[in-house]
């Protein structure tokens, strides 16, 4: 089950720019089923915990400030090979390196403000999904 799911966030700058609908449309058009979805704003404390793995990286403070700076859409998605296929759909972290047709190529502003999050492993997809959704909210 877990290997068929991934977790995503539409990040604050993409929401503020009005891109959320188009991004969700691209996600669904590429065969991902929405298991859970909510519109939420995470606190600074929650953003710090969510990105704990990046604590030692130089951009951690900037990343936490940014993710708490405005509302986001957070979602659990389902598809065969979900984690890997979703990473392909979003493209490289830096939009300058993202392939044509990817979400980041189309919508990201910069390496930091890169429109969407995508889990990097099945294990993290599960952890990240449970960070935002109870089992009662996963269908
Ligand atoms: P990804 O989101 O592609 O998995 P990482 O896990 O390496 O990328 O980084 C997490 C997030 O931190 C990125 O999506 C981006 O928002 C931000 N980030 C990554 N590298 C940098 C950087 N050099 N400067 C500023 N922000 C960065
Ligand atoms: Mg990552």
């Amino acid at each position: 089950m877990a290997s068929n799911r991934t977790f995503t966030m539409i990040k604050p700058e993409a929401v503020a720019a009005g891109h959320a609908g188009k991004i969700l449309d691209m996600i669904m058009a590429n065969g991902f089923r929405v298991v859970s979805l909510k519109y939420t704003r995470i606190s600074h404390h929650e953003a710090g915990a969510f990105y704990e793995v990046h604590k030692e990286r130089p951009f951690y403070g900037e990343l936490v400030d940014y993710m708490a700076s405005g509302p986001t859409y957070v979602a659990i998605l389902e598809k065969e090979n979900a984690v890997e296929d979703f990473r392909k759909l979003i493209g490289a972290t830096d939009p300058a390196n993202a392939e044509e047709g990817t979400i980041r190529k189309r919508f990201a502003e910069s390496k930091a403000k890169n429109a969407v999050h995508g889990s990097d492993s099945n294990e993290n997809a599960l952890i990240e999904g449970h960070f935002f959704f109870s089992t009662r909210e996963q269908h």
Side-chain angles (χ1 to χ4, degrees), residues 11 51 54 57 59 62-63 66-67 87 90-94 104 111-114 116-118 120:
K11 298 183 177 185
Y51 280 113
H54 295 313
R57 294 172 82 175
F59 57 83
E62 180 194 342
L63 176 61
Y66 157 52
M67 290 306 296
R87 295 291 307 199
I90 67 178
T93 305
D94 186 342
R104 282 171 167 168
K111 187 171 187 178
K113 297 185 174 177
N114 59 2
V116 282
H117 168 84
D120 62 8

Side-chain angles (χ1 to χ4, degrees), residues 2 5 13 18-19 28-29 35 43 52-53 73 86 111 120 122:
R5 291 185 175 188
E13 99 285 1
H19 297 321
M28 291 187 213
V35 172
S43 68
E52 182 107 41
V53 290
Y73 287 86
F86 193 70
K111 187 171 187 178
D120 62 8
N122 293 332

Side-chain angles (χ1 to χ4, degrees), residues 1-119:
M1 194 63 137
S3 64
N4 293 332
R5 291 185 175 188
T6 191
F7 172 81
T8 188
M9 289 189 275
I10 303 176
K11 298 183 177 185
E13 99 285 1
V15 172
H19 297 321
K22 288 187 213 103
I23 292 173
L24 279 170
D25 192 44
M26 266 179 93
I27 290 170
M28 291 187 213
N30 278 274
F32 291 87
R33 190 180 75 78
V34 174
V35 172
S36 311
L37 175 66
K38 77 171 94 175
Y39 185 53
T40 186
R41 180 172 181 165
I42 56 174
S43 68
H44 203 261
H45 180 79
E46 286 170 322
F50 186 85
Y51 280 113
E52 182 107 41
V53 290
H54 295 313
K55 205 169 48 204
E56 306 305 330
R57 294 172 82 175
F59 57 83
Y60 177 70
E62 180 194 342
L63 176 61
V64 168
D65 287 346
Y66 157 52
M67 290 306 296
S69 68
T72 61
Y73 287 86
V74 298
I76 297 173
L77 304 171
E78 190 169 76
K79 183 182 185 294
E80 202 178 307
N81 203 30
V83 167
E84 200 184 323
D85 284 4
F86 193 70
R87 295 291 307 199
K88 272 190 210 135
L89 177 62
I90 67 178
T93 305
D94 186 342
N97 302 325
E99 283 181 38
E100 285 302 330
T102 61
I103 293 175
R104 282 171 167 168
K105 181 73 178 181
R106 190 164 164 202
F107 296 108
E109 281 181 15
S110 64
K111 187 171 187 178
K113 297 185 174 177
N114 59 2
V116 282
H117 168 84
S119 303

